[in-house]
Amino acid sequence: MKKVVLFCLLTLTLSVSSLMAQCPKLCNEETMVPLFGASLENGDFEEGVWAFNDEKVLVPNKDSVIWTKEKYGSFVCSFEFFAPAGSNSGFLFHCTDKGDWIPNTIEIQLLGDYGLEPNYHTCASFYGYQAPTANATNPADQWNKMVVVSIGQTVDIYLNGKHVNHIDLSQWTDRFKSPAGTDIEEKFQGKALADSEPYGYIGFQGQHGGDGVTFRNAKVKHITCCAKGAKSELLFGEKLENAEYNPEVWSIDAEGVMSATKDDVIWSKEKYKNFVYDLEFKNSKDSNSGIVIKCSDKANWIPNSLEIQVFDSYDRAVDISACGAVYGHCAPLYNACKPAGEWNHMQIVCKDEVITVFLNDELVTRMDKSLWTEKETNPDGTEVPSWLRENAPADLQNEGYLGLQGLHGDSPVVYRNVRVVRLDD
């Protein structure tokens, strides 16, 4: 799958109105690829159910879903749909179980309901959860265009050029009631949306009532952050000449791979405030290391900085110590770590108080540290490890040194292509 190589870093902190202004940029057709492939080669579907007709319209002949073979976290998906009066279908995403998709998927309703009052069953609703703000569906004899923008736990829906729905999944912590106090439909009460992974397969529901909904021009792209080529520089220099470190601990080989023999941090000589920290790392079995940001005291860095966890946590449950976590404070949304022995790509975007972590081109962690005002507990109620309780994250300086933790335990982590992009310019 072709990945988009540049994303406006500030979008992650934009208001809804600002996001609306960004939508045309995110939906640049030149950066998007066919959702299921040009000939459905990237689709997972029951044989004989889905096919393109002579006009390249995607048509189902029964109620059976077509799924992507690839999972998506943060993405933009654009498609057109034709919905005759009384037809019923859905755009499905964040699916974690194709075999039992209804309770393990979010559905955006697709209906031929022109002129009806919106509710949580109408077109562009988060089906069973939240109604759109308006009915923007075209008459039954016209095509509709929908754009879905999913970034972390926020999802926005645009229908025929209008922004009609927005949801922040992190606010949906009650499986029976919405944040506004309305009832959630019974068949969706098995799990709160806030507990669902914002990562999974994308699909279209098949012929579900009426004459069926048909589709065309379905395209998608991952939303990623890429610093390479964007005025990036090697953080420590080609031979570590820009680093502050113990040469008996840290070394770099002819291929540019950095390694350490003791638990001793290598530091940047300069401080950074708004930046992208871009690097690759390879875990060994049960390895444990960290990427240090916002450090104001190198001699006593643990309580005076934040650490992005590097850990061999492939195929494990996520918590505040998982790979990609802001260690001790903010767990990843889901596990995107590769198995030990494979290279991982991480990008850490710091813009004032907001820290966003991309792991292997997936947005896995987002923390607004101004909300972490307590020393002993995090906003979600989890306890902060005792050795991190000297300062609350909200009280830490935004500008600081950048570093890499050395050999922490018996299993090494190695690094390469450690780069930085300043966002202040």
Side-chain angles (χ1 to χ4, degrees):
M1 173 63 71
K2 177 183 176 183
K3 300 287 196 297
V4 60
V5 295
L6 184 62
F7 171 60
C8 177
L9 303 172
L10 301 185
T11 299
L12 302 171
T13 58
L14 291 173
S15 64
V16 171
S17 60
S18 297
L19 181 58
M20 290 171 63
Q22 290 292 323
C23 189
K25 297 179 182 178
L26 291 173
C27 300
N28 182 351
E29 297 287 335
E30 294 181 359
T31 65
M32 303 179 79
V33 298
L35 180 62
F36 303 110
S39 302
L40 302 186
E41 69 274 11
N42 296 328
D44 180 5
F45 58 98
E46 184 181 348
E47 185 176 356
V49 174
W50 289 85
F52 284 122
N53 65 18
D54 292 341
E55 287 75 40
K56 295 298 290 183
V57 174
L58 184 58
V59 181
N61 59 34
K62 72 175 188 179
D63 192 358
S64 180
V65 178
I66 182 171
W67 296 106
T68 57
K69 292 180 179 178
E70 182 177 359
K71 289 184 176 181
Y72 291 81
S74 295
F75 66 87
V76 180
C77 188
S78 171
F79 60 92
E80 295 173 84
F81 65 95
F82 190 84
S87 61
N88 184 334
S89 184
F91 173 80
L92 315 174
F93 65 105
H94 291 176
C95 174
T96 56
D97 186 346
K98 296 178 183 179
D100 185 25
W101 66 266
I102 290 177
N104 296 293
T105 300
I106 298 176
E107 177 181 351
I108 296 173
Q109 181 78 303
L110 304 177
L111 282 179
D113 63 356
Y114 173 75
L116 298 181
E117 287 296 316
N119 59 53
Y120 68 15
H121 284 174
T122 55
C123 194
S125 66
F126 290 99
Y127 181 67
Y129 293 99
Q130 180 172 283
T133 57
N135 187 336
T137 311
N138 286 332
D141 62 346
Q142 297 179 21
W143 282 88
N144 299 272
K145 183 171 184 178
M146 180 172 285
V147 178
V148 180
V149 182
S150 176
I151 302 176
Q153 289 182 291
T154 64
V155 186
D156 288 86
I157 304 172
Y158 301 81
L159 180 58
N160 297 320
K162 297 180 181 179
H163 182 253
V164 294
N165 219 333
H166 168 83
I167 197 167
D168 182 346
L169 302 177
S170 67
Q171 303 301 311
W172 291 68
T173 56
D174 189 327
R175 62 191 179 99
F176 301 106
K177 296 283 187 180
S178 74
T182 57
D183 291 334
I184 293 172
E185 193 160 328
E186 184 176 357
K187 64 182 176 182
F188 299 118
Q189 292 178 0
K191 180 170 59 177
L193 286 179
D195 296 330
S196 301
E197 291 186 351
Y199 180 63
Y201 303 101
I202 295 175
F204 289 142
Q205 191 174 15
Q207 189 174 353
H208 185 64
D211 294 329
V213 175
T214 57
F215 303 88
R216 70 183 183 189
N217 298 325
K219 296 184 177 181
V220 69
K221 71 177 177 183
H222 287 271
I223 294 177
T224 66
C225 166
C226 186
K228 293 179 179 178
K231 296 183 180 179
S232 66
E233 58 189 40
L234 288 169
L235 179 62
F236 301 119
E238 291 187 4
K239 298 182 180 180
L240 306 186
E241 68 274 11
N242 296 330
E244 181 182 313
Y245 69 105
N246 183 343
E248 295 182 357
V249 174
W250 281 92
S251 62
I252 186 167
D253 66 18
E255 283 73 44
V257 176
M258 298 172 55
S259 59
T261 58
K262 291 175 58 177
D263 192 357
D264 194 8
V265 178
I266 183 171
W267 295 106
S268 64
K269 290 181 179 179
E270 298 182 45
K271 289 184 176 181
Y272 295 83
K273 181 179 180 182
N274 295 323
F275 58 88
V276 182
Y277 198 162
D278 183 289
L279 53 83
E280 294 174 277
F281 65 89
K282 182 165 61 175
N283 287 312
S284 53
K285 183 174 174 54
D286 298 325
S287 60
N288 185 340
S289 185
I291 301 165
V292 186
I293 60 175
K294 300 183 182 295
C295 176
S296 59
D297 185 346
K298 295 178 181 179
N300 187 29
W301 67 270
I302 291 178
N304 293 292
S305 63
L306 293 174
E307 176 188 346
I308 311 303
Q309 178 77 316
V310 172
F311 181 52
D312 176 29
S313 59
Y314 171 74
D315 205 27
R316 303 185 190 183
V318 294
D319 58 21
I320 55 177
S321 65
C323 194
V326 181
Y327 180 72
H329 298 293
C330 185
L333 297 169
Y334 52 90
N335 192 338
C337 186
K338 293 183 179 180
E342 297 185 22
W343 285 100
N344 295 268
H345 180 207
M346 182 177 284
Q347 294 168 308
I348 303 162
V349 183
C350 289
K351 182 63 178 175
D352 299 324
E353 303 282 346
V354 178
I355 301 151
T356 307
V357 181
F358 293 83
L359 179 56
N360 297 319
D361 291 330
E362 294 290 353
L363 193 164
V364 295
T365 308
R366 184 178 183 276
M367 175 182 177
D368 180 347
K369 77 178 187 67
S370 67
L371 304 178
W372 269 252
T373 57
E374 301 295 326
K375 295 181 180 181
E376 297 186 0
T377 57
N378 297 309
D380 65 358
T382 55
E383 292 188 0
V384 176
S386 59
W387 57 91
L388 295 178
R389 294 180 178 179
E390 186 174 322
N391 296 300
D395 297 329
L396 297 176
Q397 298 177 21
N398 284 329
E399 185 176 47
Y401 300 101
L402 307 181
L404 298 175
Q405 190 176 18
L407 179 61
H408 185 60
D410 298 325
S411 300
V413 176
V414 294
Y415 297 90
R416 70 183 183 188
N417 298 325
V418 182
R419 309 186 72 87
V420 66
V421 178
R422 291 185 183 272
L423 300 179
D424 300 305
D425 299 336

